[in-house]
Amino acid sequence: MDPREKTGHEVPEVGMLIARVLVATDGSEGARLAGRAAADIASRTGAELHLVHVWRLVPAHAAYPGVMWTDYSYLSEDEARRLLKREAAGIAESGGRIAGTHLVQDAPAGGILRLCRRLRPDLLVLGSRGLGALGRLALGSVSEAVAHRAGWPVLVVRGGEEAWPPRRVVVGDDGSQAAAAAGELAALIGGLFGAEGVVVRAFRSPPGAGEAGEFEEALYWEGQALEGRAWRIGKVLGSRPVARLVEGDAAAEILRAAAEGGDERRSLVAVGSRGLGAAGRLLLGSVSTKLLRAAGGSVLVCPQRSPFVSRYDEGLA
Ligand code: ATP
Ligand code: MG
């Protein structure tokens, strides 16, 4: 059944929702891939594209040889400005139109977040790694800190040149409003590139389940709710996603769905996060934390309190 008949809701005009994209660069390859993704999204949605580089002076003692300083590799504002200019030129060369560049003097994560509060982007795009030296990590500390603290949807781009654009969108849906918004935002992005969709809701059966039949009934309604979500996502994506209600660990099931497409790097994984407000900003849900670290491709995290979610709510009102 058409869910609108059941609920009386109209589908909000999600096509209007990406009006401003901000991409953060430290001059690394990872950030360049993020720049390409951000420029692609901006040009296809007509959104304004902004670029930020955050720098701070290296204390003299840290500039001694042998001291590893991973946040930045230069010592002066001039160098920072040159880096920003070079990266902006790179994006422009590949066809991106930049509406604004921003040089911020601060610690990297704090500086990015501070600019976001002023600029209010609908989407913040970061590389998954930067110039840092710990190459074995899949996620750098700046991306991790920003993803944990941002009140905006954050797209962490990963997987190298081959990974973008995504071929499939895998939405982890726990029934929350944040997950609904993440799903539609991911569908909007995936739809720009003709991606297919999968919506995954993982559950655990309680001990003794099945005896009273209540559990089967609850599962039935979960399935119905998930179909409703898939329907909405399909409207935005342009094709009907597969809805999968599955018993297991949520992060593991989402990763499994991401790998099914053949190349997991081409799967864009999208999840909501709790976003517990100022006091609890450091607490990303464990599923989003695992996915940010373990997914082979890009990850979109949509916090509960993002402007996108409130507009999504208005759309439902
Ligand atoms: P670490 O810095 O923890 O050693 P890393 O350098 O590999 O690790 P991050 O610093 O988290 O990884 O970089 C990931 C992404 O964050 C980059 O691709 C870029 O998008 C953004 N970023 C990092 N540093 C800056 C910065 N100084 N200014 C703007 N964006 C940054
Ligand atoms: Mg770094």
Side-chain angles (χ1 to χ4, degrees):
M1 181 172 67
D2 181 334
R4 277 181 303 183
E5 288 169 28
K6 204 165 78 185
T7 61
H9 289 151
E10 275 301 320
V11 178
E13 271 296 326
V14 283
M16 299 299 293
L17 287 175
I18 305 183
R20 187 173 288 159
V21 177
L22 173 65
V23 57
T25 183
D26 62 351
S28 64
E29 278 303 314
R32 255 172 230 156
L33 182 63
R36 211 183 95 207
D40 258 4
I41 293 169
S43 68
R44 284 167 197 244
T45 54
E48 257 179 29
L49 178 62
H50 291 256
L51 180 67
V52 58
H53 175 55
V54 185
W55 72 287
R56 59 182 168 183
L57 286 172
V58 177
H61 68 268
Y64 286 135
V67 174
M68 201 108 76
W69 204 256
T70 61
D71 286 336
Y72 28 75
S73 57
Y74 46 79
L75 303 166
S76 73
E77 181 165 3
D78 273 356
E79 246 180 294
R81 183 160 286 123
R82 275 199 297 276
L83 186 152
L84 182 62
K85 220 171 148 185
R86 186 185 72 218
E87 297 308 314
I91 291 175
E93 250 166 54
S94 52
R97 278 195 46 226
I98 297 182
T101 57
H102 309 264
L103 194 60
V104 176
Q105 186 176 4
D106 203 338
I112 293 169
L113 291 163
R114 190 152 60 88
L115 179 68
C116 278
R117 283 192 285 275
R118 189 161 66 73
L119 208 60
R120 301 190 160 276
D122 300 293
L123 181 67
L124 169 62
V125 186
L126 301 163
S128 138
R129 290 296 321 279
L131 289 172
L134 289 175
R136 65 200 156 72
L137 295 181
L139 187 70
S141 62
V142 176
S143 287
E144 179 139 346
V146 170
H148 279 251
R149 285 158 55 195
W152 296 266
V154 177
L155 175 64
V156 174
V157 183
R158 177 184 294 140
E161 280 301 307
E162 302 297 299
W164 190 265
R167 258 200 227 122
R168 95 197 312 240
V169 166
V170 179
V171 180
D173 188 313
D174 59 358
S176 66
Q177 200 63 262
E184 289 196 20
L185 189 53
L188 179 54
I189 294 170
L192 301 171
F193 306 102
E196 58 180 38
V198 185
V199 192
V200 179
R201 185 172 295 185
F203 67 91
R204 295 266 189 211
S205 359
E211 282 163 20
E214 281 167 10
F215 183 65
E216 275 70 23
E217 195 183 334
L219 261 192
Y220 170 80
W221 289 113
E222 285 298 319
Q224 291 295 100
L226 191 62
E227 288 295 336
R229 288 282 170 99
W231 181 87
R232 288 180 65 94
I233 287 170
K235 292 290 273 186
V236 183
L237 187 62
S239 67
R240 175 81 195 212
V242 174
R244 189 176 296 164
L245 183 63
V246 56
E247 175 153 23
D249 173 74
E253 293 305 327
I254 291 166
L255 289 175
R256 192 198 310 279
E260 270 167 11
D263 185 349
E264 61 164 346
R265 295 173 306 167
R266 306 283 312 253
S267 288
L268 168 63
V269 165
V271 283
S273 77
R274 286 172 293 178
L276 298 173
R281 280 275 161 74
L282 295 173
L283 296 169
L284 208 54
S286 72
V287 173
S288 20
T289 299
K290 281 185 207 161
L291 291 170
L292 273 168
R293 290 182 183 163
S298 304
V299 180
L300 175 71
V301 178
C302 217
Q304 188 74 51
R305 285 162 194 253
S306 70
F308 180 84
V309 172
S310 34
R311 270 175 301 176
Y312 177 90
D313 288 341
E314 281 162 25
L316 286 177

